[in-house]
Amino acid sequence: MTLPEPPESSSRPLSGRRALITGASRGIGADIARAFAAAGADLVLTARDASALEEPAGRLASEHGVRIAVLAADLAAPEVPDRLWGDAATLLGGLDVLVNNAGISHPETVDQLDSAHFDETLRVNLRAPALLAARAGAAMAAAGGGAIITLASAAALRPLAEHYAYSTAKAGLVMATRTLALELGPQGVRANSICPTVVLTDMGQRVWGDQPDKAAPMLARIPQSRFAQPHEVSDVAVWLASDAASMVSGTEIPVDGGYLIS
């Protein structure tokens, strides 16, 4: 099967936008950074290790003629979500878009559930992004509007075995995003969630793509019979951040090949 390639486009639908992308050093976050830079956005990229962002940030800035700053941010640290938006906004003189991407997973069955893993997953996947989005949303509302994009998961909408803590956290984050859309919509803030199935990042390829026996049951539940490519998530994120999605708020967009209807 031939996989789709990222579409060619000369347009820059995010020109003039300033965006914060968390967890941008690898995987989906790195690809969203690529797509946003190509679309003309100025960026603040975060990761626990800021040095991992220096080279890609410099390359993207040079290739696309945008401003890109980097910040170290460990979202598991209690104080980070409350101050991260302000720190990032200072670097670019304001921000218009938040992409809440950073997350972790500790796959394990319920009978083997580790309470420390559970607590860490909820800190990073629910507490941190929900607080960051609340601070960002309030600042956007005061400034006249903006867009919040939550990287959730199909596991937030349909239970997935061995992902008890992950599914719980992502489901909570989806509801937090809906609430932001409800409360802040009158001030021009849009908030939406993207809910992918398995995405073949480098990690996804190792865990799913290179293990046919593990992948087969999951693929059997996806009508398109394949997993997602990173750009298929990034394209949706660019659209949600752009004026093309100006009437889209408070919803979840599956990027799942039909998984949720099977």
Side-chain angles (χ1 to χ4, degrees), residues 24-41:
S25 63
R26 61 182 181 176
I28 294 172
D31 199 74
I32 292 175
R34 172 201 61 77
F36 270 50

Side-chain angles (χ1 to χ4, degrees), residues 17-24 32 36 41-47 69-71 73 75 81 83-89 91-92 94-101 132-133 136 140 147-149:
R17 299 292 206 284
R18 299 158 298 179
L20 168 62
I21 303 172
T22 67
I32 292 175
F36 270 50
D42 295 325
L43 305 175
V44 178
L45 308 179
T46 78
V70 302
L71 279 176
L75 292 175
R83 63 172 172 77
L84 179 56
W85 182 260
D87 291 347
L91 291 172
L92 293 182
L95 289 168
D96 312 292
V97 181
L98 169 64
V99 182
N100 243 336
N101 167 75
L132 175 57
M140 289 175 183
I148 296 169
I149 301 167

Side-chain angles (χ1 to χ4, degrees), residues 116-194:
H117 287 168
F118 185 89
D119 290 345
E120 182 186 18
T121 301
L122 263 66
R123 280 198 308 273
V124 176
N125 290 11
L126 178 55
R127 180 188 184 276
L131 283 174
L132 175 57
R135 305 302 181 238
M140 289 175 183
I148 296 169
I149 301 167
T150 296
L151 263 295
S153 170
L157 307 178
R158 178 175 181 172
L160 183 62
E162 300 183 11
H163 287 73
Y164 183 72
Y166 182 85
S167 295
T168 299
K170 291 294 189 179
L173 191 56
V174 163
M175 187 54 68
T177 304
R178 288 187 183 185
T179 304
L180 290 168
L182 177 65
E183 289 197 15
L184 301 178
Q187 287 77 51
V189 178
R190 297 185 296 107
N192 294 283
S193 297
I194 303 175

Side-chain angles (χ1 to χ4, degrees), residues 6 16 30 40 61 67 127 144 168 174 205 218-219 245:
R67 296 179 295 160
R127 180 188 184 276
T168 299
V174 163
Q205 182 64 41
M218 190 69 168
L219 287 169

Side-chain angles (χ1 to χ4, degrees), residues 186-206:
Q187 287 77 51
V189 178
R190 297 185 296 107
N192 294 283
S193 297
I194 303 175
C195 296
T197 183
V198 174
V199 181
L200 292 180
T201 60
D202 290 344
M203 181 179 294
Q205 182 64 41
R206 289 195 301 273

